[in-house]
Amino acid sequence: MIKKLSIYLLLIAGIIISSCDKEDDDNTANVTEQKQLLTTESANVKNDLDEIIETEGVVAVTSLIDLFDLVDPFEGDNLKSFKIKTRDFSLKLRSLITSDVLKNATIGEDGSFNFSEHTGTYTWNFTSQNWDIQLDTPNDKIIIHFPTEGSTSNNATATLHKFEEQMFIDEGDTLYMPTEIEADLYINDTKYIEVDFSATWNDEGIPTSINITVYINPFTFAVSMTDNGTSIDASASLKKGSETIMAVGGTVTFTNADKENVTTVDGYVQYRDVKVAGDVDVASLDALEGEDEPTVAQMNQYINLAVYQVSTGVKIGDIEFFENIEDGETFIDVRIVFADGTTVLASVYFDPILQSIEDFLDENFPDW
């Protein structure tokens, strides 16, 4: 049970939203509507995720990957491979930009990527089924002209405007982590993808700050993280235009800068108009080790969560733990307690959301 609980706690890392005013906590007029809101939102996740993966920008990236599988313009006697071998984090970060183009090979002897050596224009030649390459034209970026699937012309342009990385030595291995990346993709003069990344790293190659914005028309995915020494602030969001589809954010506080022991987690998870927010007294829960699993009373004391409607700031209900005995066995149920006193298992609303996300990742990112 504790393992499953820890997964839920990871999902609520962040800070409590300021719009949840106390005077709204006892609003009982719309409990039926609020329950319907939870049902509707939990059913909409799959449609949102499918819309993202089917955008024209994502389809165009798939077309580019197919061409690189056919002929990789960055391989050959006079060019180093445009693929990078480094830590899993770096691979996954860079694959957001050029996907499999960056995987499964090394560059030179140290694994770095010399951006300046590859600047120029790469144009797909329909006749030769190969790439026409003009190095140093321009000399400050990498431009790739290519056709999207079904197109008879090079209607898409991917540009890597900037790429910088930092070298680290880890147990004798040379590693390179990105510090700045700027890239975009246009189709018929319309921008469909833009990536803006910056990061700082400590001497061990661990990030001390990260800021990522990925625009995939019409969606924007943003991630930020700052290491403050004895705490870490982090947030992530997915928006369609100005509308927030999903968001998570929070602060994890530690006993000291070594970050070996967590004291508190304050956080929220949002899906459209529904947000789970609260705080967890991790230190007090850890102090119970050596005893049996925390009692229901202890869990309700140290884990304070609630569900809110974002647009109104009204608290829909509290998340509480209940003891349930079936066939002589004791279980702990996680329930939403609504303002009228009725309760519903939290899994009724949240499991469809988690399952949709898991299915989406398994289908579209099986190697992650």
Side-chain angles (χ1 to χ4, degrees):
M1 185 272 162
I2 292 296
K3 180 178 179 181
K4 184 174 182 180
L5 174 62
S6 67
I7 295 174
Y8 278 97
L9 296 184
L10 287 173
L11 292 176
I12 60 158
I15 53 176
I16 303 175
I17 51 173
S18 59
S19 60
C20 299
D21 298 325
K22 291 294 183 180
E23 62 263 29
D24 294 325
D25 285 359
D26 296 326
N27 188 325
T28 61
N30 298 313
V31 170
T32 300
E33 293 180 6
Q34 291 166 352
K35 290 180 179 179
Q36 183 57 50
L37 171 66
L38 292 175
T39 300
T40 301
E41 296 292 48
S42 67
N44 285 336
V45 178
K46 184 179 185 303
N47 292 334
D48 281 332
L49 295 175
D50 287 343
E51 184 179 357
I52 294 170
I53 207 67
E54 292 170 1
T55 60
E56 191 167 354
V58 173
V59 173
V61 171
T62 303
S63 299
L64 180 58
I65 292 170
D66 290 340
L67 292 178
F68 273 88
D69 286 340
L70 180 63
V71 183
D72 191 337
F74 301 101
E75 291 180 342
D77 294 337
N78 298 319
L79 290 174
K80 295 179 179 180
S81 171
F82 185 51
K83 300 177 181 180
I84 299 171
K85 183 179 181 181
T86 186
R87 292 182 176 177
D88 287 345
F89 173 82
S90 184
L91 284 172
K92 289 174 171 49
L93 170 66
R94 298 173 186 192
S95 69
L96 286 173
I97 306 164
T98 53
S99 193
D100 290 341
V101 173
L102 295 179
K103 294 182 180 179
N104 305 322
T106 60
I107 304 173
E109 296 180 356
D110 64 0
S112 64
F113 172 58
N114 191 325
F115 175 74
S116 62
E117 287 189 8
H118 298 301
T119 57
T121 300
Y122 301 75
T123 305
W124 182 252
N125 187 312
F126 285 87
T127 302
S128 65
Q129 290 291 286
N130 208 325
W131 297 93
D132 294 334
I133 301 173
Q134 295 177 288
L135 291 179
D136 294 325
T137 308
N139 63 4
D140 61 347
K141 64 188 69 175
I142 295 173
I143 301 174
I144 304 171
H145 300 297
F146 66 99
T148 57
E149 183 178 2
S151 176
T152 57
S153 65
N154 289 322
N155 61 326
T157 300
T159 305
L160 185 58
H161 295 271
K162 183 176 293 186
F163 184 93
E164 297 180 3
E165 57 188 356
Q166 184 175 348
M167 184 185 74
F168 299 93
I169 305 296
D170 183 18
E171 297 181 354
D173 294 329
T174 301
L175 304 172
Y176 289 85
M177 306 302 285
T179 57
E180 192 168 5
I181 300 172
E182 293 180 11
D184 56 43
L185 183 145
Y186 283 75
I187 303 173
N188 294 323
D189 298 325
T190 298
K191 181 167 62 178
Y192 280 89
I193 295 179
E194 183 174 28
V195 177
D196 191 353
F197 168 86
S198 63
T200 58
W201 311 84
N202 65 18
D203 293 339
E204 287 74 39
I206 299 174
T208 55
S209 70
I210 291 178
N211 287 284
I212 307 171
T213 302
V214 179
Y215 170 76
I216 304 177
N217 189 4
F219 299 96
T220 300
F221 177 67
V223 175
S224 67
M225 185 280 293
T226 303
D227 185 341
N228 302 305
T230 57
S231 67
I232 292 177
D233 296 324
S235 65
S237 65
L238 174 65
K239 293 184 177 183
K240 183 178 181 180
S242 60
E243 179 185 15
T244 297
I245 306 299
M246 297 180 185
V248 59
T251 300
V252 180
T253 304
F254 304 87
T255 54
N256 54 51
D258 292 338
K259 299 180 180 62
E260 294 182 357
N261 298 304
V262 178
T263 56
T264 60
V265 176
D266 301 310
Y268 70 86
V269 171
Q270 176 185 348
Y271 174 69
R272 289 192 176 272
D273 202 25
V274 175
K275 179 175 286 191
V276 179
D279 61 86
V280 180
D281 186 344
V282 179
S284 294
L285 287 173
D286 286 344
L288 299 174
E289 291 184 0
E291 305 178 12
D292 293 332
E293 290 191 354
T295 65
V296 164
Q298 289 169 332
M299 295 173 70
N300 285 325
Q301 178 182 359
Y302 299 127
I303 302 172
N304 302 298
L305 305 174
V307 184
Y308 298 88
Q309 183 173 8
V310 178
S311 59
T312 63
V314 171
K315 183 169 74 172
I316 295 174
D318 292 304
I319 294 181
E320 295 186 7
F321 301 89
F322 292 82
E323 189 173 85
N324 182 20
I325 300 176
E326 295 182 5
D327 299 326
E329 293 190 37
T330 301
F331 300 90
I332 297 180
D333 288 338
V334 183
R335 291 179 170 270
I336 300 175
V337 181
F338 293 90
D340 63 356
T342 60
T343 68
V344 178
L345 285 170
S347 59
V348 170
Y349 303 115
F350 298 146
D351 279 4
I353 295 176
L354 297 175
Q355 188 61 53
S356 294
I357 294 173
E358 182 179 341
D359 292 344
F360 172 81
L361 294 175
D362 287 344
E363 180 179 354
N364 297 286
F365 305 97
D367 297 330
W368 280 46

